Amino acid sequence: MELRQLAYFVAVCEELSFSRAAARCYISQSAISHQIARLERDLGVALFERSTRAVVPTDATMRLLPLAKQMLSLESAIRATVRTSGHRIRLAANMSFATRSLSAIAGARAAHPDAEIEFVIKPFRQRITAVADGDCDLALIRGSVDEPGLAVEKLWVEDLVIATSAAHPLAIREQVTLADLSPYPLLLPPEQEQVLLHTVIRAAFADLSAGPTFGPPIPPDHTATMELINRPDAWTVLYADSPTEGLVVLRLAEHRLRIPVSAVLRSDTRRSPILTTLLSGLHRR
């Protein structure tokens, strides 16, 4: 039994989907299925009843789940306990923040040559947990959280962009309005995976007579580019730093779709000079 298998097990329990759990853990669906199967063989029990429509936890799963969470929490506590203080910072984020984070890390290391700064890739919920447990010093998120023991510091506001395929009827326009886009299918990840993005879109359309026409959700193992190429009548919303090769980016005439980016820290964090410099670098445009 390995700790990573327990992490995958918890992800499948919470997502009730191997594909969503795989996307959350940044591995392939076949890899997470293989690791769960290994865990089942090691324990000698079936943990999930699988069908084409659903993943159903067994009785053994319900007994194992709280213990697995305790084990993962203990791992985070161990890491936090043995970490050297002051000179080492762990920053949790996802790959969409990589460019800005690495620039800030380079600046902090230049100012503090003895600093050790780690850039750790984690899904949203694991970032929050890692900060709360002390495994990471700060996390970058879009939006905000309201949890005891955590503080949120707004860093910047990120623009969202409208993208289509080159074959879309509106692709030749210099600019478009949300009303222009309304009749065409909007392709986004499932709402449970991108709640904030869906909220921003609905708010932007709130004052219009017609809301967005949602198309089928983008599966976790698909890219927006491929979906738009397969659906030339569709459009999507991307974060400003997202790759747009093969797509046409449309300029909105009267709206700006924007989303806040924040740093999450523990409320009792004592800000070392290194952490202060790192946050300052993240604030800069």
Side-chain angles (χ1 to χ4, degrees), residues 175-258:
Q175 61 183 20
V176 297
T177 66
L178 292 177
D180 293 331
L181 292 164
S182 180
Y184 298 98
L186 168 58
L187 306 183
L188 293 176
E191 185 164 5
Q192 64 267 26
E193 296 178 12
Q194 289 282 357
V195 174
L196 185 58
L197 192 58
H198 281 257
T199 300
V200 169
I201 293 296
R202 287 198 171 95
F205 277 88
D207 295 332
L208 302 182
S209 58
T213 302
F214 287 101
I218 299 176
D221 55 348
H222 288 209
T223 65
T225 301
M226 185 56 66
E227 293 298 296
L228 291 177
I229 291 173
N230 289 332
R231 291 287 306 272
D233 63 328
W235 61 287
T236 193
V237 177
L238 301 174
Y239 297 116
D241 292 335
S242 300
T244 56
E245 292 84 356
L247 302 179
V248 174
V249 175
L250 303 180
R251 185 164 65 89
L252 279 175
E254 81 289 7
H255 282 80
R256 293 189 72 184
L257 300 178
R258 313 197 79 191

Side-chain angles (χ1 to χ4, degrees), residues 1 38 86 104 121 126 130 156 162 182 218 247 265 280:
M1 183 191 308
R38 282 188 56 194
I121 302 298
Q126 290 185 24
W156 72 88
I162 305 297
S182 180
I218 299 176
L247 302 179
L265 306 94
S280 178

